Amino acid sequence: MIVDELKSWRRYAALEELRPAFEFLERRADEALPDGRIEIDGARLFALPQSYAPRAALGARFESHRRYADVQYIAAGAEMIGYAPTGGLAAETPYDPERDIAFYAQPACYTPVALTAGSFAVFYPDDAHMPCCRLDSDEPVRKVVVKVEIARAPG
């Protein structure tokens, strides 16, 4: 997992697979993008702009993905995203390869990550995350999630 401000993304330029996601965010994330899916490079790279009211963390579920890393950028508002390694979590819904998602029960211990406008978090396949949770207000959140297909080593 990586957490930082968008203006500092070049620190992670060695992670070449993430570069197109950050370049897209730098160019377009503050536009009035419609909610939904925006193709950047077909199924390999796409954005999911979304607007919502944050929810209570109590009872929320963790999720993870195998095919994609998530670059979650907060354009407006603030949210808390819970983080926990997938290895110690109890699966609630098995991995669905068509949707590229698995769900987990909320563990007793996890790391709360505060994201405010202008900040991002990157979640890799082993990084379970619980997004869209209330940080300190019910202020609406405007977020752009960029899905980046991750090359996996065989085996």
Side-chain angles (χ1 to χ4, degrees):
M1 176 184 62
I2 300 169
V3 178
D4 208 334
E5 294 181 329
L6 185 58
K7 66 183 181 183
S8 302
W9 76 265
R10 285 177 179 75
R11 291 180 187 165
Y12 313 101
L15 302 171
E16 193 58 36
E17 62 197 357
L18 298 179
R19 178 180 288 278
F22 287 122
E23 289 172 344
F24 173 84
L25 289 170
E26 192 172 56
R27 280 191 324 271
R28 309 253 342 251
D30 293 323
E31 290 179 24
L33 298 171
D35 285 3
R37 182 176 170 134
I38 297 174
E39 298 290 333
I40 302 169
D41 187 10
R44 206 180 77 64
L45 182 74
F46 56 93
L48 300 169
Q50 48 199 263
S51 304
Y52 53 87
R55 64 181 180 222
L58 186 62
R61 298 188 307 173
F62 276 74
E63 63 185 58
S64 71
H65 316 285
R66 293 184 187 169
R67 184 175 172 192
Y68 294 95
D70 278 3
V71 179
Q72 298 200 14
Y73 170 71
I74 305 297
E79 75 176 57
M80 186 281 291
I81 299 179
Y83 161 77
T86 58
L89 298 180
E92 240 181 27
T93 305
Y95 177 72
D96 178 346
E98 208 168 287
R99 294 180 55 220
D100 186 43
I101 197 162
F103 290 102
Y104 307 87
Q106 191 178 109
C109 260
Y110 62 87
T111 303
V113 178
L115 292 181
T116 57
S119 62
F120 71 88
V122 178
F123 297 100
Y124 283 97
D126 293 331
D127 299 329
H129 48 288
M130 181 178 65
C132 309
C133 296
R134 186 177 307 112
L135 180 60
D136 56 10
S137 80
D138 291 326
E139 176 186 356
V141 175
R142 178 72 181 152
K143 177 163 67 175
V144 180
V145 177
V146 181
K147 305 291 275 184
V148 181
E149 189 171 42
I150 299 297
R152 305 285 293 199

